[in-house]
């Protein structure tokens, strides 16, 4: 599929009134078309079914480069799939997008796609760890969002427990960062972890909770039993 055709397919569902609301909500300067997420999901699913991995990468790159809000979401959805071989081009494209992150919606969609690639090849965590030292807030935040799958195992293997400790170490270095989205990301990681590993989440909060912003500490402890 040519990028022009894909963009036309997205634009066919444009809703100007919805676009104005979304643009204001996201405080965005880019073009918004007002296309609902379920429609983007259906379009991306169809494209995935009809394109091989290389063609998906080519289309996703073009959609992202259009800098249209919904096109960037669609680009990420196009690459969101558990089984994808080979996936080196996919991972490289997703990681190339990280410096462009400037809103939670676009960043989170791209990180969800990246989660699939990270789970299949955990040594890629070396790349992610470098993000934690970036001056770009959205890149630092992405390091926590893209590693969320490691919060979810009820019976983690030793290597999964090692990743949990590693990422919590990153989160600990973020605690003094007062930016709302960073504090929210710490809270998100610890809160999700608490559902499956309450002791580890509690230990993190015992050490760092008082230094977190109150709203973040409260959110992180949402599912933990009160002493």
């Amino acid at each position: 599929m040519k990028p022009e055709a894909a963009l036309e397919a997205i634009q066919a569902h444009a809703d100007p009134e919805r676009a104005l609301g979304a643009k204001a909500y996201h405080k965005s300067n880019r073009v918004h078309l007002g296309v609902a997420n379920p429609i983007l999901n259906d379009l991306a699913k169809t494209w995935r079914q009809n394109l091989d991995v290389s063609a998906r990468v080519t289309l996703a790159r073009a959609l992202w480069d259009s800098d249209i809000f919904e096109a960037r979401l669609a680009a990420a959805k196009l690459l969101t799939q558990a089984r994808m071989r080979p996936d080196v081009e996919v991972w490289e494209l997703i990681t190339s997008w990280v410096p462009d992150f400037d809103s939670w919606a676009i960043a989170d969609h791209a990180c969800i796609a990246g989660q699939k690639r990270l789970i299949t090849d955990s040594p890629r965590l070396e790349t992610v760890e470098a993000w934690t030292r970036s001056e770009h807030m959205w890149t630092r935040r992405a390091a926590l969002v893209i590693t969320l799958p490691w919060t979810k195992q009820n019976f983690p293997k030793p290597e999964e427990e090692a990743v949990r400790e590693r990422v919590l170490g990153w989160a600990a270095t973020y605690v003094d960062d007062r930016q709302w989205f960073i504090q929210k990301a710490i809270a998100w990681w610890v809160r999700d972890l608490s559902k499956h590993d309450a002791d580890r989440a509690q230990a993190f909060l015992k050490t760092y909770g008082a230094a977190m912003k109150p709203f973040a500490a409260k959110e992180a402890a949402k599912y933990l039993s009160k002493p």
Side-chain angles (χ1 to χ4, degrees):
M1 168 175 280
K2 292 184 177 181
E4 295 81 4
L7 285 170
E8 287 177 4
I10 296 172
Q11 290 167 338
H13 300 280
D15 181 336
E17 185 174 347
R18 184 187 182 95
L20 286 173
K23 192 176 179 74
Y25 174 71
H26 291 286
K27 298 180 175 64
S28 172
N29 291 322
R30 63 174 45 89
V31 172
H32 283 249
L33 300 174
V35 181
N37 242 325
I39 293 172
L40 296 175
N41 288 338
D42 290 344
L43 290 172
K45 181 178 179 180
T46 299
W47 297 336
R48 286 198 305 266
Q49 290 172 342
N50 292 286
L51 298 172
D52 62 22
V53 173
S54 181
R56 277 179 256 170
V57 168
T58 298
L59 178 57
R61 181 180 289 110
L63 290 172
W64 187 272
D65 288 346
S66 75
D67 199 28
I68 296 170
F69 180 80
E70 289 83 359
R72 286 199 163 184
L73 299 188
K77 292 174 186 292
L78 190 57
L79 301 183
T80 303
Q81 185 175 333
R83 296 181 181 179
M84 196 182 297
R85 288 290 186 271
D87 73 345
V88 173
E89 278 189 296
V90 177
W91 173 248
E92 289 178 348
L93 181 58
I94 293 169
T95 56
S96 77
W97 292 341
V98 175
D100 294 339
F101 291 172
D102 57 6
S103 75
W104 66 264
I106 289 174
D108 289 1
H109 276 81
C111 282
I112 290 169
Q115 288 171 3
K116 309 296 185 183
R117 310 282 51 86
L118 199 54
I119 292 169
T120 64
D121 191 351
S122 59
R124 288 169 173 163
L125 284 164
E126 294 297 325
T127 296
V128 177
E129 184 160 15
W131 300 351
T132 67
R133 299 183 289 274
S134 173
E135 294 183 1
H136 181 227
M137 182 274 287
W138 292 103
T139 296
R140 295 196 305 278
R141 176 183 179 274
L144 297 187
V145 179
I146 205 169
T147 53
L148 280 168
W150 277 277
T151 67
K152 302 184 186 305
Q153 299 88 2
N154 284 319
F155 303 100
K157 299 174 183 177
E159 56 269 27
E160 292 168 336
E161 290 193 335
V163 174
R164 285 182 178 177
E165 285 299 313
R166 185 177 187 178
V167 179
L168 286 172
W170 303 346
T173 69
Y174 288 3
V175 167
D176 290 336
D177 189 325
R178 313 317 285 169
Q179 294 183 86
W180 190 91
F181 279 107
I182 293 294
Q183 291 285 314
K184 180 68 174 178
I186 299 169
W188 187 0
W189 218 94
V190 177
R191 182 199 66 199
D192 282 12
L193 178 64
S194 73
K195 300 175 187 177
H196 308 278
D197 192 344
D199 289 345
R200 192 172 261 116
Q202 190 73 65
F204 181 90
L205 287 173
K206 183 177 180 181
T207 303
Y208 299 105
M212 294 167 63
K213 282 198 168 185
F215 88 86
K218 181 178 179 181
E219 179 67 15
K222 182 176 181 179
Y223 299 112
L224 291 171
S225 299
K226 295 182 180 180

